[in-house]
Amino acid sequence: MTIRKLAAGNWKMNGLTADIAEVEKLARAHPTPSCDVLICPPATLIAPMAQAIGTSAVAVGGQDCHATDAGAHTGDISAAMLRDAGASHVILGHSERRTDHEETDAAVRIKAHAARASGLVSIVCIGETLAQREAGVTLDVVTSQMDGSLPDGCTAADTVVAYEPIWAIGTGKVATMDQIAEVHAAMRAALEARFGAAAADIRLLYGGSVKADNAEQIFAVPDVDGALVGGASLKAADFGAIVAALGAA
Ligand code: PGA
């Protein structure tokens, strides 16, 4: 089965209205990309970005959602609100949220339920710390995070899983191709063991210092179906090069 790959940009807490021009540029430069292209800007930019790029090939997503649809939760945003603003995807359980907001696997799992109920695709993030890698427990950590963070009944239509070694995020330090291959193979096996045939085409993204100059090498690794890109997704030229490398992979 061929999986249509996904280049996902995570803008984190970066971007003002003027930066929407970068995504318009990206959409113009890649009108018919050979992979799916997604930008997850801060919540303030979801609606104007979705409007600005209209029916282009670039999709827009959120970076987190609350587990319930509405209510007394000051400062939170629900999956239904993201959808209403024009988002089709939401990143869940990013390591920065797990650290900054003490999000647990169980919390991520109920958010993924809420996202599915609102028709959003969840990009569920997992990844080990440097201490865990050095202790030799990486595969145990990532499979247990997947087990705890993914709701039952996941399919490719509602779920993407992103492997982001925490020590590789924003550090310029990329995992080796062998390390990526080993983890992605374990992720695929765990998905198939839990979800059966439905898991065969769930996309597995690598994230952590993906740039134009290492993208081609990373995309050649088996079971890498795309990338979750932080810093290099902010500028159309940088992210466009990654989109092109993924489309050619
Ligand atoms: P980075 O971030 O590409 O800047 O390392 C990746 C991420 O956190 O999703």
Side-chain angles (χ1 to χ4, degrees), residues 11 17-33 37 39 48-49 51-54 56-58 233-241 243-244:
W11 278 19
T17 309
D19 298 303
I20 291 173
E22 287 298 321
V23 183
E24 292 174 300
K25 220 189 283 177
L26 178 73
R28 273 197 307 275
H30 300 273
T32 53
V37 181
I39 296 287
M49 187 177 287
Q51 273 158 24
I53 57 179
S56 81
V58 179
S233 71
L234 296 170
K235 294 288 173 207
D238 297 338
F239 197 51
V243 167

Side-chain angles (χ1 to χ4, degrees), residues 191-210:
L191 284 175
E192 285 177 356
R194 182 165 166 202
F195 302 113
D201 54 355
I202 289 180
R203 290 181 287 193
L204 304 181
L205 310 185
Y206 170 77
S209 297
V210 176

Side-chain angles (χ1 to χ4, degrees), residues 8-10 12 91 94-96 125 162 164-165 168-173 206-211 228-233:
N10 173 13
K12 309 191 179 185
I91 298 169
H94 189 281
S95 61
E96 287 150 17
C125 303
E164 300 202 302
I169 295 176
T171 58
K173 226 189 259 179
Y206 170 77
S209 297
V210 176
K211 311 271 179 240
L228 182 56
V229 183
S233 71

Side-chain angles (χ1 to χ4, degrees), residues 7 30 45 55 71 84 112 234:
H30 300 273
L45 295 185
T55 56
D84 182 55
L234 296 170

Side-chain angles (χ1 to χ4, degrees), residues 66 71-77:
H66 195 269
H73 301 288
T74 302
D76 278 317
I77 294 178

Side-chain angles (χ1 to χ4, degrees), residues 14 18 76 110 114 142 146 161 167 169 190 241 246:
N14 297 291
D76 278 317
I110 53 171
V142 297
M146 275 177 50
V161 186
W167 48 272
I169 295 176
L246 186 58

